[in-house]
Amino acid sequence: MKRRPYLRLLVFGCCVALATVVNLSFIMENVRRVEMETFEAEQIEVHESVTSRIPITLVICKNTGDWVNVDKKNVRTSWKRQKQQFAVIFASMLYFSKLSSIRIILLTDSVETYVELLSTISGWPQHQRRRLHFEMHNIEEERFKEGQLLQWRPCAWTKMYLPEMLEDFDATIYMDSDVLFLGPVEDTWAVFQRMGDVAAIAASAEMWYLEEGNNRPAAGKYGINTGVMFMNLTRLRKISLAENLMLYTDSDPAPRHDQDVLNAFLKYHPHLLHELPARYNFLPSSCQKSAPVCQECLDRGILVMHGADSSFYRFVDAKMKDWPLIPTDGVQSAAGGQLQLLSISRAAGAAS
């Protein structure tokens, strides 16, 4: 039988191809294994960064009962307003931040409130929502003294009990829900380095105490606003903050809310307070003629804008009105308000 050399070549070629396929399969399997190990390592790194980073804390209660029945048209008690603000703060946070994960503690009056709040951002792109790591904590109502739960706003006193309610945390940044970011949230953590070895709270000025003629005790040079507070919880637990505040609830004139009480307490314990420029909590009152010039606002821009007393919705100050109308149906559309945010930020900074 005559040998056919091309058959040998064909068989040889098939063997080489088979060997190549097997070898490639082995290589690809190793590549996939390395990629998976790298991915798992990155996930562990991300998880560790999430759990070790100082969390942002919000307290939100759904207005019910006698409080909302006082005036059903009052925007201050509007649940719709609170939900819209909830979406705005996190839309602005995600837009300006480069972090892959942001840890948020959300204290609510019920699981239903928590679920309803998260539903406001459920339509956002998944890769953006995954950057927000929410943790639900119940508001421990048994800690409140009589009348505190509904004083001023529902659950407003909760932030004064954070050292006890967040007993496993060393520090947190408390924020009211009516704030929005005009810069990266990661810039906020550096504040704790400015607080030194003694201060337990860092906060910005509330100029209304000066505008009202200093009729009420005011902490620091002008009085402070408690809508954004950098809290060293360990130090606050050592001084039993909530218990000590009760000693200042009967002052004259009578305090209107928890902020008045904290101002009175810190006035007589000034070493516990580190005063911040308005950059970290820019309020309508930050534009008062009596307000100090915020040089950090001029140099670096406003970081956190605070629509205190529903000023994003009411004509408290024309510069603050209608900020929540920035679209929040997704982070991309929310980012569409960037030019408006930046232009108003510069204008507000110059006005201060």
Side-chain angles (χ1 to χ4, degrees):
M1 185 176 178
K2 189 176 181 179
R3 295 177 180 270
R4 297 180 180 179
Y6 68 87
L7 287 177
R8 292 183 188 177
L9 291 173
L10 181 61
V11 172
F12 178 76
C14 289
C15 291
V16 171
L18 180 61
T20 302
V21 170
V22 171
N23 192 41
L24 283 174
S25 178
F26 177 78
I27 292 173
M28 291 304 296
E29 183 62 32
N30 277 277
V31 169
R32 281 194 292 268
R33 178 178 57 79
V34 171
E35 287 178 342
M36 182 56 68
E37 290 175 353
T38 303
F39 173 78
E40 291 174 350
E42 289 174 347
Q43 289 299 100
I44 291 172
E45 184 179 348
V46 168
H47 177 71
E48 288 177 348
S49 68
V50 171
T51 54
S52 62
R53 195 186 305 281
I54 296 172
I56 304 290
T57 298
L58 280 78
V59 178
I60 302 180
C61 291
K62 188 172 184 178
N63 296 333
T64 58
D66 293 338
W67 175 267
V68 75
N69 289 333
V70 172
D71 184 356
K72 293 183 178 181
K73 295 182 180 180
N74 191 345
V75 70
R76 292 175 173 175
T77 60
S78 168
W79 178 232
K80 180 180 179 180
R81 173 186 62 82
Q82 290 195 71
K83 289 193 295 182
Q84 188 177 36
Q85 289 177 167
F86 179 84
V88 167
I89 182 176
F90 293 114
S92 63
M93 185 184 293
L94 288 176
Y95 179 76
F96 287 103
S97 175
K98 295 182 180 179
L99 294 176
S100 61
S101 56
I102 304 170
R103 190 178 188 183
I104 301 130
I105 294 176
L106 187 56
L107 287 94
T108 62
D109 52 352
S110 69
V111 175
E112 290 75 15
T113 298
Y114 179 81
V115 172
E116 192 171 347
L117 287 169
L118 292 190
S119 69
T120 63
I121 62 174
S122 61
W124 291 5
Q126 190 176 41
H127 70 282
Q128 294 287 10
R129 285 188 287 114
R130 283 179 175 174
R131 296 170 61 197
L132 301 172
H133 294 256
F134 288 98
E135 300 175 24
M136 189 190 79
H137 287 246
N138 291 323
I139 294 175
E140 302 169 12
E141 295 185 8
E142 63 274 10
R143 295 185 181 275
F144 291 96
K145 306 300 180 183
E146 184 178 359
Q148 281 186 336
L149 187 60
L150 293 179
Q151 186 184 34
W152 182 244
R153 306 279 171 81
C155 306
W157 267 88
T158 304
K159 53 182 172 283
M160 301 306 169
Y161 289 92
L162 290 182
E164 289 76 25
M165 292 186 184
L166 304 180
E167 58 184 1
D168 295 329
F169 293 85
D170 178 62
T172 192
I173 303 172
Y174 168 82
M175 291 187 170
D176 283 352
S177 62
D178 55 354
V179 306
L180 58 83
F181 282 87
L182 300 178
V185 63
E186 45 266 43
D187 285 2
T188 59
W189 285 289
V191 169
F192 286 98
Q193 299 175 1
R194 300 166 65 166
M195 292 173 64
D197 299 327
V198 179
I201 291 177
S204 300
E206 173 56 84
M207 299 308 301
W208 281 116
Y209 286 97
L210 183 63
E211 292 292 320
E212 292 173 340
N214 288 325
N215 293 323
R216 299 177 183 277
K221 295 180 181 178
Y222 308 101
I224 62 166
N225 181 275
T226 59
V228 178
M229 288 192 295
F230 298 78
M231 306 176 74
N232 186 311
L233 300 176
T234 299
R235 295 175 187 173
L236 292 173
R237 277 190 287 270
K238 289 180 179 179
I239 64 169
S240 302
L241 176 66
E243 183 178 336
N244 270 290
L245 289 180
M246 295 305 101
L247 303 175
Y248 295 84
T249 56
D250 295 327
S251 59
D252 185 26
R256 297 160 293 188
H257 37 53
D258 58 293
Q259 179 174 289
D260 282 351
V261 177
L262 184 62
N263 267 275
F265 171 72
L266 291 175
K267 178 178 181 178
Y268 298 103
H269 301 83
H271 61 287
L272 297 174
L273 173 65
H274 176 80
E275 295 179 76
L276 292 172
R279 178 173 190 257
Y280 297 93
N281 184 6
F282 199 91
L283 297 147
S285 63
S286 301
C287 291
Q288 297 284 355
K289 291 182 179 179
S290 57
V293 173
C294 177
Q295 192 59 47
E296 280 197 40
C297 296
L298 297 173
D299 294 341
R300 304 173 62 190
I302 297 168
L303 183 59
V304 180
M305 179 75 79
H306 185 183
D309 200 13
S310 304
S311 57
F312 288 156
Y313 294 80
R314 304 189 305 121
F315 281 105
V316 176
D317 189 313
K319 290 186 293 296
M320 310 289 282
K321 183 75 167 58
D322 291 336
W323 277 59
L325 296 183
I326 298 168
T328 56
D329 55 329
V331 175
Q332 297 299 326
S333 62
Q338 180 196 22
L339 294 178
Q340 179 190 8
L341 289 173
L342 293 179
S343 62
I344 298 180
S345 172
R346 295 191 185 100
S352 70

